[in-house]
Amino acid sequence: MAWWARLLAAVGAVLVLAGVGLVASPRRASAEVVHGLGWSATVAGWSSWYGSYGMGDLGTAWCIDHGSAAPDAEFGYVPADLSAVPADTQAAMAWALGSTGAEPDRVGAAALMLVLHDLMGATYPDGPLDVDALEPAALTGFDGAEADVVARARAIKADAVAHAAVRGALSMTATATEAEPGGAGTLTVAVVDGGGNGVAGVAVRVTAEGARLDGDSSGVTGADGTATFPFTAGPGGSRFTAAGQAPDPVLHAYASSSTPAQRVAVPGVVALRAEAGFSPPPSSVRVHKVGDAEAYLPVVGARFDVVPAGGDGTAAPVGTLVTGDDGWTDELPVPPGRYEVREVEPPPGYRPAGPWPVEVAAGDRAAVEVADEALPGWARVTKVDASTGEPVAGATLALSYDADADGSYETGLDPIVTGDAPAEVRLRPGDYRLTEVRAPDGYEGLDHPVDFSVGPGERVEVAVENRPVTTIAFRKVPVGPTDPDQVVLAGAVFEVRPEGGGEPVGSRTTDEQGRCSLPVGAVDIGQRYCWVEVEAPPGFGTAEPGCVDVPAAGTVTTVEVREPSHHTEVTGDKVDAETGEPVAGATYDLYRQPADGHDGLPAPQAPGDAVVVDGAVWVARATSDEHGTVAWGPQVPGAVYCAREHDAPDGYRLDPSLRCTPAPLAPGEAAVIRLPDRPEATPPTTAPPTTAPPTTAPPTTAPPTTAPPTTAPPTTAPPTTAPPTT
């Protein structure tokens, strides 16, 4: 405290003492000081009562001065003149009194008196009082609660100083964002002082009517003076009431009118309340209509009656709705309730649909989605011989629909396979396209699409012509161990010559279906030709050669070639690395490592969780059976095959290494990849580290038969990344 402040305090004390001697009839003889909560104790060398006082009609009060006579209700207290006390100090004291003094406990009552003395600049024998610097050791007589009193005083002062700028009367407002019934909204409660500034730290309680609060119903205003409460709007309106209680920022202080004594202040609190709410818009119903052929048949003009649900079905409509160009109707205002939407006039080309039930809640703007099906048409598709006009069976035609009428035909419809009779297809109205996927045997493929249109309820005839050809075709049939999911029939090369020798008339390579044919005009009618397979697909041997006659014009002579399989058999042997016993339940991925780095064969689609192996192709996944056998199925020869564990069996560690065949597999060779697994490590509690064997076997103890480092291809299983012992 500055020297001038100490001087003023001393002068004030002298004046107070002098004033006591000037009172003609002091009433202290009959007065009795009434202590409330607190202690008679000593703080910083000053022994006094630290706590609240009972002040009769004034209620519970606290001294705000230091060094003069104790207060008493009998002294005739009147409002005190606080013009010499700064406004911020008054506001801080008022906040401390209102927040703590309204419902104090014993510690709080004592701490509040210290805070009021601190804020008023009291000087104790040990010096100016500052609760932030006050140590518990400077307090005695508080029955062991000295530290609690100091801690509480510091908290009260900090809160009071934080609200020292609060002025005037407090007020509360509530604002709710409007939301559709069932929609999310936010209630914002704000507390401001007389200057319009937000007041932090005010507890707020909210009750809702009609709406549902989506969280706590209590909150505290933040630094901007607001607290928010999310809610879900009710069907018939949402109302909110917010209430709270805050310290009165106006200090209520009183002074004795009869005897010099300390001034006192009483807690002041302000009850705050605010309301907010909104009502939903009027209830209504509308229709959104869609059709399955809108690009050709608009849905404008559909008429709907909205009829009350229930009863005998004879109730009069409450209104009629008509769709516009966008398929939407206007909104029809209706009272809340249950209704039926009936289509009384569908758009041209559509079947009538419905009815559709709809329940309209209070404030609900119901929208009914209505889907109509166009009247179907029919197409009779016939594949005919261009020369004779006779039906031709065996063609496969892809059917596409131009759903948007923009010239872009979408596939996805079932293909048409022609037979001796026309194929009848039920279709939505619109534009369609036929393209030939496979021509009939003995006919040239169609080199252009065939377009046609179908109207509602219309039947159209569509004829697709093919010109006959004369040629020799080949179809491969695998014989022997093959996996139908992995067999490759493409790549077989056939060479055809006239019987008795001569130059080849053609050389053709099979496609993915194992088929090929000589070009049109390559062979002569009535002649005999001989063929030979000069190259077989991977995993197959070449077939025995043969000869065939070309009987007549417009015929395709198909040679069925039985292809001998030379596929390898690759299996895994899953065993316990310590006992050699078979282990079931281990899942392994198999990879093919071509001998020259790339074999050009198509690769199956690998699962998304398969590990990528550089230079290798994923081919299969399988799980060991009760005998420990992992069966991946037949594979093409000429490659090294490697296995990597994907899922370990229960009780075993996952082995991340690649285990491979020693060398590329020869045609027809059967190979077994040994797949040892080690059990999971024994927990330390059951196997002390000093006696437990190593958790992984040293490289020198790995069985050489599982993955010899000298034979494993370095690109697929480098010893540094796939130790054979793990």
Side-chain angles (χ1 to χ4, degrees):
M1 181 181 290
W3 65 269
W4 53 268
R6 291 196 296 270
L7 177 60
L8 287 176
V11 171
V14 172
L15 292 175
V16 169
L17 293 176
V20 173
L22 294 174
V23 175
S25 301
R27 301 173 59 188
R28 290 184 55 84
S30 61
E32 181 179 353
V33 176
V34 179
H35 291 162
L37 294 174
W39 284 273
S40 291
T42 301
V43 176
W46 183 261
S47 297
S48 181
W49 171 255
Y50 293 91
S52 62
Y53 290 88
M55 296 299 294
D57 293 340
L58 290 180
T60 302
W62 277 260
C63 290
I64 63 174
D65 297 318
H66 167 66
S68 57
D72 191 280
E74 300 298 324
F75 292 166
Y77 277 80
V78 295
D81 178 12
L82 298 177
S83 59
V85 180
D88 282 2
T89 301
Q90 292 189 48
M93 294 170 65
W95 194 271
L97 282 158
S99 61
T100 303
E103 296 180 358
D105 57 10
R106 194 178 185 189
V107 171
L112 178 57
M113 179 174 173
L114 291 174
V115 171
L116 296 175
H117 282 191
D118 177 326
L119 295 174
M120 285 293 286
T123 299
Y124 281 19
D126 291 352
L129 179 63
D130 181 0
V131 297
D132 295 322
L134 186 64
E135 295 295 335
L139 282 67
T140 59
F142 288 88
D143 298 331
E146 287 80 3
D148 293 339
V149 170
V150 172
R152 184 78 63 87
R154 291 174 179 172
I156 295 171
K157 178 183 176 182
D159 186 42
V161 171
H163 292 85
V166 178
R167 297 287 186 274
L170 302 185
S171 61
M172 174 184 286
T173 59
T175 306
T177 58
E178 293 194 15
E180 297 284 345
T186 302
L187 175 71
T188 302
V189 179
V191 177
V192 298
D193 66 3
N197 302 307
V199 180
V202 179
V204 178
R205 300 179 306 281
V206 173
T207 57
E209 181 180 353
R212 183 188 74 242
L213 293 174
D214 296 330
D216 291 338
S217 60
S218 298
V220 177
T221 58
D224 62 349
T226 66
T228 57
F229 301 86
F231 65 85
T232 299
S238 302
R239 303 296 304 175
F240 305 92
T241 300
Q245 179 175 289
D248 187 348
V250 177
L251 181 60
H252 299 274
Y254 300 89
S256 170
S257 63
S258 60
T259 300
Q262 296 190 53
R263 290 173 295 181
V264 297
V266 299
V269 293
V270 179
L272 303 170
R273 180 184 174 87
E275 294 182 350
F278 56 88
S279 298
S283 305
S284 66
V285 64
R286 66 190 305 208
V287 172
H288 181 220
K289 184 172 183 61
V290 295
D292 62 353
E294 285 191 57
Y296 305 94
L297 302 173
V299 295
V300 62
R303 296 175 63 84
F304 300 89
D305 280 348
V306 181
V307 182
D312 57 3
T314 61
V318 297
T320 299
L321 297 169
V322 180
T323 56
D325 292 337
D326 59 354
W328 282 97
T329 69
D330 293 334
E331 292 188 10
L332 176 67
V334 294
R338 295 171 57 247
Y339 298 89
E340 260 189 4
V341 176
R342 301 173 182 174
E343 188 170 24
V344 295
E345 185 180 336
Y350 286 93
R351 299 176 184 272
W356 299 270
V358 58
E359 185 166 353
V360 183
D364 190 11
R365 300 170 63 192
V368 181
E369 293 289 334
V370 173
D372 272 10
E373 180 182 306
L375 291 167
W378 295 84
R380 286 167 46 94
V381 180
T382 307
K383 171 68 77 170
V384 298
D385 187 301
S387 302
T388 66
E390 293 296 319
V392 178
T396 301
L397 303 172
L399 180 62
S400 305
Y401 179 53
D402 185 4
D404 298 323
D406 60 357
S408 59
Y409 289 86
E410 302 172 0
T411 58
L413 301 176
D414 292 337
I416 299 173
V417 179
T418 62
D420 295 332
E424 294 198 8
V425 187
R426 184 176 184 268
L427 300 171
R428 284 182 289 171
D431 297 336
Y432 291 86
R433 170 170 289 177
L434 287 170
T435 54
E436 192 167 52
V437 178
R438 183 175 182 274
D441 291 343
Y443 288 85
E444 294 182 15
L446 195 65
D447 60 359
H448 62 277
V450 175
D451 296 340
F452 65 95
S453 299
V454 177
E458 182 183 10
R459 291 180 177 270
V460 298
E461 299 283 344
V462 183
V464 182
E465 295 183 343
N466 282 85
R467 294 194 309 165
V469 299
T470 301
T471 187
I472 298 173
F474 296 90
R475 182 171 70 87
K476 296 187 67 62
V477 178
V479 178
T482 56
D483 184 344
D485 293 332
Q486 299 188 42
V487 66
V488 179
L489 296 178
V493 180
F494 291 93
E495 189 174 85
V496 182
R497 299 172 183 269
E499 186 180 32
E503 293 296 322
V505 297
S507 176
R508 295 311 239 194
T509 302
T510 56
D511 58 16
E512 293 181 356
Q513 285 75 41
R515 295 175 178 268
C516 65
S517 60
L518 295 178
V520 177
V523 295
D524 296 328
I525 300 170
Q527 299 298 313
R528 185 174 178 81
Y529 294 87
C530 296
W531 57 270
V532 61
E533 185 175 17
V534 297
E535 185 175 341
F540 292 94
T542 55
E544 292 293 328
C547 298
V548 62
D549 294 322
V550 179
T555 61
V556 176
T557 303
T558 301
V559 179
E560 185 177 276
V561 181
R562 299 180 66 80
E563 195 78 6
S565 171
H566 288 176
H567 282 68
T568 65
E569 289 284 350
V570 182
T571 58
D573 184 19
K574 186 66 178 177
V575 296
D576 187 296
E578 298 178 359
T579 66
E581 293 296 319
V583 177
T587 301
Y588 276 85
D589 287 320
L590 186 68
Y591 296 85
R592 182 176 73 242
Q593 179 69 52
D596 59 356
H598 181 67
D599 55 15
L601 297 177
Q605 181 64 43
D609 56 357
V611 176
V612 177
V613 177
D614 291 341
V617 177
W618 182 94
V619 291
R621 176 176 287 178
T623 303
S624 61
D625 59 17
E626 60 183 356
H627 305 293
T629 301
V630 185
W632 292 289
Q635 305 295 329
V636 296
V640 169
Y641 287 86
C642 299
R644 183 190 291 271
E645 191 168 29
H646 178 268
D647 284 319
D650 292 342
Y652 287 84
R653 298 197 301 269
L654 184 71
D655 181 4
S657 61
L658 286 173
R659 298 186 178 275
C660 308
T661 58
L665 300 183
E669 181 181 357
V672 178
I673 302 175
R674 187 170 176 81
L675 305 170
D677 249 6
R678 296 188 178 277
E680 292 181 346
T682 304
T685 56
T686 58
T690 56
T691 59
T695 56
T696 56
T700 56
T701 61
T705 58
T706 58
T710 57
T711 58
T715 59
T716 59
T720 57
T721 60
T725 59
T726 56

